[in-house]
Amino acid sequence: MAPNPPKVKGKVKTQEDERQNSLQAVVLADSYETRFRPLSLERPRCLLPLANTPLIEYTLEFLAHAGIEDIFIYCGSHNEQVEAYVNASKWKLPTSPFKNLTLCKSDAASAGDALRDLDNRDLITGDFLLVFGDVVSNIALEPALARHRARREKDKNAIMTMILREAGVHHRTKTASQRPVFVLNPNTDRCLHYEEIYSAGRQGRQVTLDPELLSPHSEIEVREDLIDCHIDICTPDVLGLWSDNFDYHSTRTSFLFGVLKDYELNGKTIHTHIMTDGYAARVRSLRAYNAISKDIIGRWTFPLCPDSNHAPGHYYRYQKNGAYQESGVTVGKNSHVRSRCVLGEGTAIGDGATVSGSSLGRCCRIGKGAKIEGSYLWDNVVVGDGSTINQAIVAEGAVIGKGCTIEPGALISYNVRITDNTTVSVSKKITRLNIETKTAAEPTEIPPFGKIGNGHEYMADSDDGSDASTFSKRMYQNPRAAASDSSVSTLQSDESDFEDAEDRSRRPSAISETSDEAAPNKDFHAEATASILDGLQKDDLPENINLELTAFRMTVDASQHQIRRAVVAAFLKRIANLENSGTGAREAVHRVFSKYKTVVERVMFDKDTREKPDQVDFMLCVQRELVSRENGESLLLFVAKKVYDLELVEEDGILQWWPDIRSRHGNMANIRGLTEQFITFLQEAEEDDESEEDEDEA
C-alpha cells in the first residue's frame, strides 16, 4: 500500500525544521599566527593559561552557554596536545552539554586551508558558528542568530553575520599595530568594505573607497571603534566560497575583503551584528593577553572568572581583597598579596615578598623579599630571593635566580633557568628551544643567556613583530630611555626628572592654593592645563604628554602639587568634553584615566611609603575641581573608584584623603555624599583583613 502522503510530508518538514534550527560550531584551535612565539613553538596557543585556565576552556564555555551541541575542533600544530587535553576534559564526559565533540586533525597552514578541508569532509549540515580557540566571551548569541535567520529567510545571498562589539577606538584589547575598519550601511547592517590600517604613526591612516560602492546607499558609517573577535555565523555557502578561492588564507584580510570586493560577481552579502552589552575579545597578541587577563580578574567577563572553576580540578575562591586563591597557598611573614591576583594551589610566597596585580600558577615558589608586579607566572615557576618581575610572562617550569630583574614585556619560556643577579631587559624573549630543530638546545649549541643558564634570546621572525612586542614597547617603554640597555625604560620607574626622595619627605602633604601664586610663573596652571588638554583632545600618546609636561615644568620650576593640579584640571575638562558629545560620565572617566594612566603615575611618589601625601593631594585636587560641577558628586565617586581600580591611588591613599579636614571643609563637603558608601566598603574590607591577620597570629 502506498505511504500516507500527509504523514511523510509532516515527518520531512519536522526533520528539515530541526536541521535549520540547529547550529553547529567550528573551533579553529590553531591561530595560524606567530605572535606568541617562542611559547607557541612548544604548546598551542589555545592551551596557554589565561588567569590560570587554558584558553580553549573560555571558548568552549561560551559555546556551551550559547546552547550549541555539535562542535568540531580543528587542530593544526601540536594537534596531539589538543587531542589529549580535550579527551581528558569535562567536555568528553557523559555530563557534557555537547552531544557531539569531534576533533579534526589537519596539516593546514592557514585558516583557509582548514576551511577548505572542512568543506571536503561534508560535516556541516546547516548554519554554523566559526570561532577561534582563543575567544573569551559572555555575550548572548540568540539576538544575533535570530537576526541572521530572519535576514536569510528574505535573502539567500546573505551568507554570513559577523558579531562585533562596540568599544573605543583605542580599547586595550585591540591590536596595537593594526586596526580593522568596517564600512557599513547602518540601515541594513550590511558590511560594504573592510580593510586594516596600520597605526605606527599617523601617516597612511586613511581608507580609500570606490564611489560606485557608495552610490546605491543613502547612508554609510566608517567604524574604527569595533572589536572584531572573529565570531561569525555562517551558512554552508561560506565554505563553498573558500573552496572556490584557493588564494584566500585569512578570514578577514583575504576572505572578507575578497567577498566584499567581488560582490558584483558573486552577489553574496555579509552583515554585522554590533553588541553593546557583554564581553567579547580574542587573545591575539601579548598585549591582548595582558588586557584580557586583567578583565577576567576584574570580573568584566563574568561568569568566566577564576572562581567559577571551569577547568577540571580548579577550586578558586574569591577573597575579600579582590584576589582569587586556591587552597594550600602559603604566605610568609610581612608578605603582601594585594588585590587583583590569582594564586594557584601549592604556591608559596616567602617572607617580605610582594605580589600585586599578578597571576601565579600552581606550585610556584616566590623567594624572600621578591617583588612580582603585573606579571603572569605559570605553574612550577621558581623565583629567587630579592628578585623583581615587573609586567612580564614567565612560563611553566622556569627558574629565576636570586637578585634578578625581569623588566616589562620580557618573556621567559618553558624550563628556562636565569642565573643569579641577571637582568632580562625590556621585551627580551628567552627560550631553551633550538628554533631550527624545535628541540631543547644544548648549552654548547647556542650561547646561554647570562653567565650561567640554559636559555638564549629568541630572535623573532619578521611576522612575529606585528604585535608581539607591543606588550612591552607600546604599553610600557619610555622613548627617552630606549637607547640605554641598562635602564628599565618605563614611565613609572623613571624618576630622574623629579625631586629626590629626601626632598619629597620634607614636602607637606598638600600645598595650598595661595602657594601657587608664589610660583615663578603664576600662569603655569593655565598654560600647563591647556597643553595637557590639547594632547588629550588630539589623542596623543601618554609618553608624548609626559615629555611635554616635564619640559614645561622644568622651564618654570613648578612644584609637584602644581603638576598634579594641572593634570587633574585637564583630565576633568576632557571628561566634560566627552560628556557634552554624548558619552556617559562613567564611561568618560574610564576612557580618560585608563588610557592616560601613566600620566597620573608620573606625579605620584608615595607608593612605597606609609603616608600617602601625593595621593591625598591628587584626590583633593579632584574634589576641588568638581565642587562647581553640576554632576560633581557623581563624578567624584566615578573618579575615586576608577583611580582605585587602576591602582593609581591605593586603599591607604583613599582612606587618608577621606577624613582630611580639607576634604570635609566648606563646599568640598557638599559633593562627598555618593562616595561615602565606597569609603565604607573599603573601611570594612580593611577591618576584615586586620581581624583575619589577628586570627592567623593567634
Side-chain angles (χ1 to χ4, degrees):
M1 188 172 84
N4 190 322
K7 290 184 179 180
V8 173
K9 183 178 180 181
K11 183 177 180 181
V12 172
K13 183 176 180 180
T14 301
Q15 290 175 342
E16 180 68 15
D17 288 345
E18 183 176 335
R19 187 181 74 84
Q20 289 181 351
N21 290 329
S22 65
L23 183 68
Q24 298 172 296
V26 175
V27 179
L28 297 179
D30 195 327
S31 65
Y32 306 103
E33 296 173 343
T34 59
R35 290 188 177 105
F36 276 80
R37 288 185 177 181
L39 297 173
S40 58
L41 290 172
E42 300 183 62
R43 186 176 300 180
R45 183 193 296 185
C46 67
L47 294 186
L48 300 183
L50 185 73
N52 291 353
T53 298
L55 260 171
I56 199 170
E57 288 288 339
Y58 296 97
T59 305
L60 295 176
E61 285 288 347
F62 164 61
L63 298 177
H65 289 166
I68 301 174
E69 299 178 339
D70 193 6
I71 312 291
F72 298 96
I73 299 179
Y74 234 84
C75 306
S77 63
H78 308 293
N79 58 71
E80 70 288 344
Q81 294 185 39
V82 178
E83 182 179 21
Y85 179 85
V86 172
N87 286 336
S89 73
K90 66 180 182 181
W91 307 109
K92 278 290 191 177
L93 297 176
T95 55
S96 170
F98 303 141
K99 290 182 179 179
N100 174 54
L101 180 60
T102 303
L103 285 94
C104 304
K105 297 181 182 180
S106 170
D107 58 357
S110 69
D113 291 342
L115 292 171
R116 282 184 283 270
D117 180 74
L118 178 64
D119 188 35
N120 291 332
R121 298 190 187 207
D122 292 327
L123 297 173
I124 301 301
T125 59
D127 288 355
F128 65 97
L129 194 72
L130 178 63
V131 298
F132 281 86
D134 54 14
V135 165
V136 178
S137 177
N138 62 6
I139 63 172
L141 194 61
E142 292 82 359
L145 185 57
R147 292 287 299 274
H148 169 81
R149 285 173 170 165
R151 188 183 299 116
R152 179 72 170 167
E153 283 292 323
K154 297 179 181 179
D155 181 8
K156 296 301 181 183
N157 285 321
I159 62 169
M160 190 171 90
T161 299
M162 300 179 291
I163 299 178
L164 309 173
R165 184 164 70 92
E166 195 172 69
V169 174
H170 301 285
H171 194 274
R172 65 182 184 179
T173 63
K174 285 188 172 184
T175 301
S177 58
Q178 57 203 54
R179 301 187 185 280
V181 177
F182 296 87
V183 179
L184 310 176
N185 182 328
N187 300 314
T188 63
D189 296 327
R190 180 181 157 194
C191 185
L192 306 175
H193 178 76
Y194 173 86
E195 67 180 82
E196 295 178 357
I197 59 176
Y198 293 84
S199 55
R202 301 200 173 190
Q203 296 181 348
R205 294 194 60 183
Q206 59 185 8
V207 177
T208 303
L209 300 176
D210 185 350
E212 294 184 2
L213 173 69
L214 308 180
S215 57
H217 306 279
S218 59
E219 183 180 358
I220 66 164
E221 291 181 346
V222 180
R223 303 288 298 266
E224 194 189 354
D225 62 332
L226 301 174
I227 293 179
D228 182 12
C229 43
H230 292 71
I231 300 176
D232 300 333
I233 304 174
C234 306
T235 67
D237 292 342
V238 167
L239 294 179
L241 285 174
W242 279 103
S243 294
D244 291 342
N245 295 273
F246 282 89
D247 57 334
Y248 287 173
H249 297 292
S250 66
T251 57
R252 292 295 185 258
T253 54
S254 57
F255 177 80
L256 176 59
F257 178 82
V259 172
L260 297 180
K261 180 175 65 69
D262 294 337
Y263 168 70
E264 294 296 332
L265 296 176
N266 56 46
K268 306 299 183 182
T269 60
I270 296 176
H271 294 74
T272 62
H273 185 86
I274 299 174
M275 307 290 296
T276 56
D277 298 322
Y279 187 93
R282 270 192 72 193
V283 186
R284 293 196 64 185
S285 63
L286 294 176
R287 172 192 172 101
Y289 181 94
N290 178 48
I292 297 172
S293 294
K294 294 181 184 300
D295 289 343
I296 291 172
I297 296 171
R299 307 184 75 79
W300 289 100
T301 60
F302 186 84
L304 303 179
C305 301
D307 57 330
S308 297
N309 296 307
H310 297 297
H314 280 196
Y315 302 100
Y316 286 97
R317 297 182 63 185
Y318 187 55
Q319 308 293 313
K320 292 181 179 179
N321 66 346
Y324 302 85
Q325 184 172 313
E326 285 191 294
S327 61
V329 175
T330 58
V331 180
K333 295 181 179 179
N334 300 318
S335 296
H336 300 281
V337 177
R338 307 197 187 281
S339 63
R340 294 169 183 77
C341 290
V342 182
L343 304 179
E345 182 181 21
T347 286
I349 300 173
D351 296 347
T354 300
V355 180
S356 174
S358 299
S359 178
L360 277 60
R362 289 183 166 181
C363 300
C364 292
R365 296 289 182 268
I366 310 301
K368 297 178 180 179
K371 293 183 179 180
I372 315 296
E373 181 178 351
S375 297
Y376 307 96
L377 279 59
W378 299 353
D379 293 348
N380 301 302
V381 169
V382 177
V383 179
D385 296 348
S387 288
T388 298
I389 302 178
N390 185 15
Q391 299 166 336
I393 295 177
V394 184
E396 183 176 343
V399 177
I400 309 299
K402 297 179 181 179
C404 293
T405 299
I406 311 299
E407 295 185 347
L411 189 156
I412 312 299
S413 194
Y414 303 99
N415 301 309
V416 167
R417 295 197 317 271
I418 303 296
T419 190
D420 295 351
N421 302 312
T422 298
T423 295
V424 181
S425 57
V426 168
S427 79
K428 297 292 185 184
K429 299 179 180 182
I430 311 302
T431 181
R432 293 178 65 234
L433 203 65
N434 185 314
I435 305 305
E436 294 182 358
T437 63
K438 301 294 189 296
T439 59
E442 296 297 330
T444 56
E445 294 178 331
I446 300 175
F449 189 86
K451 296 179 181 178
I452 303 175
N454 63 350
H456 60 91
E457 183 178 355
Y458 170 74
M459 304 306 293
D461 295 336
S462 59
D463 57 347
D464 287 8
S466 59
D467 198 58
S469 63
T470 59
F471 177 65
S472 58
K473 293 182 179 178
R474 294 184 185 273
M475 296 181 67
Y476 308 120
Q477 191 169 353
N478 179 354
R480 291 174 298 169
S484 172
D485 293 333
S486 60
S487 68
V488 178
S489 300
T490 63
L491 292 169
Q492 185 174 350
S493 62
D494 184 1
E495 298 182 354
S496 60
D497 294 329
F498 301 99
E499 55 194 335
D500 59 30
E502 184 177 359
D503 291 338
R504 294 197 301 273
S505 66
R506 294 196 298 264
R507 161 168 49 79
S509 61
I511 302 175
S512 67
E513 289 291 314
T514 57
S515 66
D516 286 349
E517 299 299 321
N521 186 351
K522 65 180 181 181
D523 295 327
F524 171 82
H525 177 71
E527 295 179 14
T529 301
S531 176
I532 300 170
L533 181 60
D534 182 63
L536 298 177
Q537 291 173 332
K538 290 181 178 178
D539 212 25
D540 284 345
L541 293 174
E543 296 94 315
N544 296 340
I545 294 178
N546 276 322
L547 287 171
E548 187 170 353
L549 188 59
T550 298
F552 211 127
R553 181 192 69 82
M554 296 177 67
T555 301
V556 298
D557 194 27
S559 68
Q560 289 303 326
H561 165 72
Q562 289 176 282
I563 298 289
R564 278 189 287 274
R565 184 181 169 215
V567 168
V568 167
F571 274 40
L572 295 178
K573 288 180 186 295
R574 177 57 179 155
I575 289 168
N577 291 343
L578 292 172
E579 287 182 273
N580 292 335
S581 64
T583 304
R586 187 194 302 269
E587 175 61 19
V589 169
H590 169 74
R591 287 189 192 180
V592 175
F593 278 92
S594 296
K595 177 170 182 179
Y596 294 98
K597 174 182 177 181
T598 55
V599 177
V600 179
E601 288 175 337
R602 284 291 296 268
V603 298
M604 302 290 199
F605 303 95
D606 54 9
K607 285 293 180 72
D608 297 323
T609 63
R610 187 178 185 85
E611 298 299 319
K612 308 296 180 182
D614 297 340
Q615 298 176 38
V616 170
D617 183 34
F618 182 87
M619 292 306 301
L620 288 171
C621 289
V622 171
Q623 194 175 354
R624 188 176 295 112
E625 285 286 335
L626 294 177
V627 163
S628 59
R629 294 279 188 94
E630 183 177 344
N631 62 340
E633 189 174 0
S634 299
L635 280 173
L636 182 63
L637 171 62
F638 296 154
V639 172
K641 292 185 70 175
K642 179 52 60 177
V643 296
Y644 172 76
D645 289 343
L646 294 173
E647 299 181 345
L648 294 171
V649 178
E650 298 163 288
E651 181 176 335
D652 289 343
I654 294 286
L655 296 181
Q656 290 175 26
W657 155 65
W658 189 249
D660 192 292
I661 185 63
R662 292 162 294 182
S663 175
R664 297 182 286 115
H665 180 69
N667 292 334
M668 299 275 273
N670 296 336
I671 61 171
R672 286 164 52 101
L674 292 178
T675 310
E676 187 168 3
Q677 186 175 1
F678 174 59
I679 301 298
T680 302
F681 165 79
L682 294 181
Q683 291 171 336
E684 291 176 351
E686 185 180 46
E687 291 171 1
D688 290 341
D689 290 342
E690 290 175 353
S691 63
E692 289 176 3
E693 291 175 3
D694 292 340
E695 291 174 2
D696 291 340
E697 292 175 0

